[in-house]
Structures are given as structure tokens and as C-alpha cells.
Amino acid sequence: MNKIFRIALMMVFFVGLGSMAHSQNRFGHIDTNELLRLMPGREAAEQELERYARELEAQFVAMQTEFQTKYQNFLENQESFSPLILQARQRELGNLQERIIDFQQSAQQDLETREAQLLRPIIQQARAAIEEVAKENGYTYIFDMSMGTILYAEPSDDIMPKVKLKLGIN
């Protein structure tokens, strides 16, 4: 009985919400991926990020080269090493391998942080323009079509031209 009451209450709520949506709300949509692609400063941020990624990759390659050289030397000379030197070289290779793994993980996190820092102002500027256009034009909801979450929707207004105008993008 309690379950039936909840279902009925939910149906009344959604029917009421649906009728309110048709009478009071104005819907719009935008493809934020397209907008961000057009944003001024995005290209410079991407170039900076690529430069930084190349620096990290160069360091990673240098570490891998050092490991390969030492490993090759170890393989070629291991039979001539005393047990003490053999153990020291194995420990050195193990430590170097751990440093490479740590560097790779830290570099990935650092690269993600750097990307967020570089793109945050651009995203904030786009978000502010979208909000301004929504308020100026009386939109209740703006859907992001790049997210692909809407399977069906009544026709809505594409606010891309208005946001581009707000941002001075041709």
C-alpha cells in the first residue's frame, strides 16, 4: 500500500513538473566542445600543454635510456661480478625501475593538473558567457549537446550564435 502511494505521488509530481515545463520554462542548447574549440586562448593553452608534455616525455625517455644502458651492461658483465657487486647492481636496477614508474605516474598527474590550470580560465569565461546569454534571453535550462545525454527533446534554441557574439568570436 505504501509503495502504491509513493508511485502515485511520483506520477503526480512528474505530471505537474511536465506541465510546468511547458508553460514556464524556456530551453536552449549548446555544444560546449565546439564552443571551447573556438575560444580565444585555447590554442595557446594547448601549445603550452604540448610543450610541457614534450619536456616530461624527454625526461622519461632519458630515464628509460639510462635503465636500458645499465641493464645491458649488467647482462653482459654479470658473470664477472662478485656476489656483492651483483647484488648492488640488481638493487640499483630495481631502484631505477621504481623511479621510472614513480616519475611516469607523477608526470601523468602533473600533466592533468597543468591542463586544468591552463584551461580553467577559458572554461570559466565560456561558462560565464553561457550564463549571461541564458539570463538575458530568459532561458530556464541550457543543455550541453556535446555530452550526448539527451535522447529526445522538444525543439530548443541553439544559443551558440549568441554566446559567440558575447565572446566576440566570429
Side-chain angles (χ1 to χ4, degrees):
M1 183 68 115
N2 193 14
K3 189 175 184 180
I4 294 172
F5 177 72
R6 275 193 250 161
I7 291 171
L9 186 61
M10 286 175 50
M11 287 176 58
V12 168
F13 173 75
F14 285 120
V15 168
L17 186 63
S19 65
M20 277 180 26
H22 288 295
S23 63
Q24 298 175 2
N25 296 322
R26 186 164 178 210
F27 299 93
H29 66 271
I30 190 167
D31 182 339
T32 56
N33 285 341
E34 175 69 12
L35 178 62
L36 291 175
R37 188 183 67 73
L38 300 170
M39 290 288 295
R42 180 206 47 88
E43 197 170 305
E46 284 182 355
Q47 288 173 353
E48 169 63 22
L49 190 62
E50 287 174 13
R51 183 198 60 75
Y52 189 61
R54 283 192 304 270
E55 285 179 17
L56 293 174
E57 185 177 1
Q59 179 62 35
F60 180 69
V61 167
M63 292 174 81
Q64 282 184 316
T65 301
E66 177 186 2
F67 177 81
Q68 288 298 327
T69 302
K70 288 184 177 187
Y71 183 66
Q72 189 63 35
N73 182 288
F74 173 80
L75 290 177
E76 291 171 358
N77 299 309
Q78 68 181 337
E79 292 178 10
S80 65
F81 293 149
S82 69
L84 185 61
I85 293 175
L86 184 67
Q87 189 178 31
R89 296 279 174 98
Q90 288 171 336
R91 194 173 24 250
E92 179 185 11
L93 287 170
N95 289 340
L96 185 54
Q97 194 170 25
E98 285 179 26
R99 281 187 18 233
I100 290 170
I101 291 169
D102 288 345
F103 178 81
Q104 188 177 22
Q105 291 171 348
S106 295
Q108 182 63 36
Q109 290 172 348
D110 197 38
L111 193 59
E112 289 171 7
T113 300
R114 183 69 162 234
E115 180 180 31
Q117 289 171 341
L118 290 169
L119 295 179
R120 185 177 300 122
I122 296 167
I123 292 169
Q124 288 172 342
Q125 184 183 14
R127 183 174 293 143
I130 291 168
E131 288 176 13
E132 287 177 31
V133 166
K135 288 175 184 173
E136 290 170 0
N137 293 279
Y139 290 104
T140 307
Y141 298 100
I142 303 294
F143 295 97
D144 184 355
M145 301 306 285
S146 66
M147 300 302 285
T149 56
I150 298 175
L151 299 176
Y152 173 81
E154 290 293 322
S156 64
D157 297 332
D158 181 2
I159 66 165
M160 178 70 81
K162 293 175 184 174
V163 173
K164 284 170 54 178
L165 181 65
K166 176 70 67 181
L167 292 166
I169 299 172
N170 293 329

